[in-house]
Amino acid sequence: MAAMADQYGIFNQRADVIGGITMRTRDVHGAMVKPKLAFVSINADREHLHGYCFPMSTNQTLIEMQQLMLRYPTGKVALSGISLAIEQGGFVYLTGESGAGKSTLLRMFYGGLRPSSGQLSVQQLDMRSVAEGDVRELRQRTGIIFQDHRLLFSRTVFENVALPLRVQGWEKERLVPRVRKVLEFVGLDDRLWSYPEALSGGEQQRIAIARAMAANPPIILADEPTGNLDEDTARRVLDLLMALNQYGTTVIMATHDLHLLSSHPGRVIQLHQGSLVGDSYG
């Protein structure tokens, strides 16, 4: 993995990554491509860059489902017979019409819903029998981005991003530089003491990304993060998620913006009326 990291310049003795610089990656056929990443601002030696603490991909199975089903008490079936696996380090789109089960599946990945039958393993936890204490710990290892960002408008940008770190008991000496660093990553370190209402919709979503990555989770779940944004802003937000994935973070994103896939390829899992109807790369 270290060799792969060096290929992308992550562990170079000196690395400069600024908005617009090209970073190497591979397309679905294994060929080298150079997507442009926006809003990334890092100018650091190896030790400084390591402060971002991105988890590295290990090609281990992070989530596994076998005949997964969710039936509500009313009798409505939300998910039916889903079997698939998601490896650490992947970038996965969940697609499908409204009501297809995208958001429901994401909620199951962080313990917001429990399976009715079948098997679901998330970060080595059996989600049918997992204890509530383990679910709380799972959520601390999971970054979540909502379509409406769910920022606290009565709190500053700093306080919003610091929230998951405070919940985990981070001391001020670690917390303050970490918040500054993730805000630098999303290009909003100059808005540290602003309030969310003073920011644009795109900036608010970038703050939500900073909050989601603050505790360095191995996985980020994004539920329609570009749904309320114009196309240019949506692409920039997706650039950030792709940048996180470049450093090994697993990203699972529910979306209906299929046109974004042409410029940001990944694995595409298609749902229809709660069932898996497609699984491809593109």
Side-chain angles (χ1 to χ4, degrees), residues 26-100:
R26 293 184 184 273
D27 64 16
V28 295
H29 304 295
M32 298 303 299
V33 295
K34 292 184 177 180
K36 288 193 174 183
L37 304 177
F39 298 125
V40 182
S41 180
I42 307 168
N43 182 359
D45 58 20
R46 172 175 177 154
E47 185 172 317
H48 179 74
L49 184 56
H50 181 67
Y52 284 93
C53 298
F54 294 103
M56 301 308 297
S57 171
T58 61
N59 293 322
Q60 295 180 346
T61 299
L62 192 67
I63 299 175
E64 187 168 9
M65 293 156 268
Q66 291 291 336
Q67 295 299 313
L68 179 65
M69 174 176 283
L70 175 66
R71 186 191 302 271
Y72 290 116
T74 59
K76 178 184 177 182
V77 176
L79 297 171
S80 178
I82 297 180
S83 297
L84 56 85
I86 297 173
E87 292 184 341
Q88 173 69 33
F91 195 106
V92 180
Y93 294 101
L94 297 180
T95 67
E97 74 280 4
S98 178

Side-chain angles (χ1 to χ4, degrees), residues 91-158:
F91 195 106
V92 180
Y93 294 101
L94 297 180
T95 67
E97 74 280 4
S98 178
K102 304 185 298 295
S103 297
T104 299
L105 193 55
L106 287 181
R107 289 183 64 189
M108 297 188 80
F109 291 163
Y110 63 82
L113 294 168
R114 300 290 187 99
S116 302
S117 64
Q119 298 178 1
L120 172 61
S121 173
V122 179
Q123 299 188 47
Q124 301 182 341
L125 293 175
D126 182 345
M127 299 307 292
R128 291 194 66 184
S129 59
V130 64
E132 283 301 321
D134 290 331
V135 170
R136 287 192 292 271
E137 291 183 4
L138 172 67
R139 290 174 183 169
Q140 292 181 5
R141 300 193 303 270
T142 304
I144 304 174
I145 304 170
F146 300 96
Q147 179 175 353
D148 58 359
H149 53 70
R150 300 193 187 180
L151 299 178
L152 301 175
F153 276 66
S154 62
R155 299 289 186 267
T156 64
V157 166
F158 175 89

